[in-house]
């Protein structure tokens, strides 16, 4: 059942596990293009139905459920089969690739992702990429092999790709150039700076901004946002992580997208309705109709 959680977020050291109040609804609906609703979080975890109902009530019409291993990928497909407002992205996360490889199971795991990617409700390979923060030198060859295999899957199935890039900006960009990026490539939770944003947008990639763009210490993200063409902007929660200000640290969910959208509009000096219409159109261009 898609409503059964397959992971649990740690509660250790967190000040509040209460879901924030719903923000004012958006007049023009948008989509959360990257979330992890298979993760149990908070004092009173929301079911998938509750997540989608709360999102719809504030102008978030649908979500792209991202994955990081075989279990979450299968969960994403099941959720997308059961709910018209969910599309699936399937992948082996770059930090999980070395684990599968150590067990001699990476190729088999990628084969499962290949099989799942053929499902019509799967619209992206993701999240895949490189992570030089959590995975050390020993695990990087497996990460790279997995990343290149996932790029090939996205191209073979003709679907988008969601990139996880942590402390690996140059290597990710160079890999995309070397092997050839999928036609629709998204930098999930964009974490670079102004120069990287220009390079990514010039290459035809989409930049997805999450709640951390609202964080006080994230000026690099606001600088990147400022130079990103509006037709290349996407929005996400990365729920249950990266809850936007003023609720940083509390459980995140797709219904909080309006907080990030309004912040982005204010930063850009944009009309919120016009920006929402643009971001929604961008999302549908990347992933297709829900």
């Amino acid at each position: 059942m898609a409503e059964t959680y397959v992971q649990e977020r740690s509660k250790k050291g967190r000040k509040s596990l209460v879901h924030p109040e719903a923000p004012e609804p958006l007049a023009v609906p948008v989509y959360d293009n990257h979330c992890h609703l298979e993760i149990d979080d908070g004092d009173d975890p929301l079911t998938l139905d509750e997540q989608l109902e709360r999102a719809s009530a504030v102008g978030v019409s649908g979500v792209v459920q991202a994955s990081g291993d075989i279990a979450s990928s299968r969960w994403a497909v099941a959720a997308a089969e059961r709910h018209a407002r969910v599309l699936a992205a399937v992948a082996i996360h770059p930090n999980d690739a070395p684990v599968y490889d150590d067990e001699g199971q990476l190729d088999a795991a990628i084969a499962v992702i290949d099989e799942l990617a053929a499902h019509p409700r799967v619209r992206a390979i993701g999240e895949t990429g490189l992570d030089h923060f959590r995975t050390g030198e020993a695990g990087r060859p497996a990460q790279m092999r997995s990343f290149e295999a996932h790029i090939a899957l996205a191209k073979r199935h003709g679907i988008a790709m969601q990139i996880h890039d942590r402390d690996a900006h140059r290597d990710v960009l160079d890999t995309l150039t070397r092997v050839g990026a999928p036609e629709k490539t998204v930098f999930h939770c964009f974490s670079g700076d102004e120069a990287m944003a220009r390079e990514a947008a010039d290459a035809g990639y989409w930049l997805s901004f999450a709640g951390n763009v609202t964080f006080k210490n994230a000026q690099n993200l606001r600088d990147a946002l400022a130079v990103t063409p509006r037709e290349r902007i996407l929005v996400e929660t990365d729920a249950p992580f990266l809850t936007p200000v003023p609720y940083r640290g509390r459980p995140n969910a797709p219904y909080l997208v309006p907080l990030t959208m309004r912040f982005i509009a204010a930063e850009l000096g944009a009309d919120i309705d016009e920006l929402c219409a643009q971001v929604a159109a961008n999302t549908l261009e990347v992933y297709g109709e829900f």
Side-chain angles (χ1 to χ4, degrees), residues 160-193:
M161 182 176 69
Q162 294 186 343
I163 290 178
H164 171 102
D165 162 31
R166 189 165 187 185
D167 293 357
H169 305 325
R170 189 73 264 153
D171 285 348
V172 168
L173 289 168
D174 288 349
T175 301
L176 293 173
T177 299
R178 175 170 54 81
V179 304
E183 180 182 354
K184 296 174 180 178
T185 295
V186 176
F187 275 82
H188 133 68
C189 191
F190 183 79
S191 60
D193 58 11

Side-chain angles (χ1 to χ4, degrees), residues 37-62:
L37 303 186
E38 85 286 3
I39 300 177
D40 179 337
D41 190 38
D43 284 335
D44 187 17
L46 302 175
T47 67
L48 181 56
D49 282 339
E50 289 171 335
Q51 293 272 18
L52 296 174
E53 288 166 6
R54 287 195 183 194
S56 181
V58 298
V60 180
S61 295

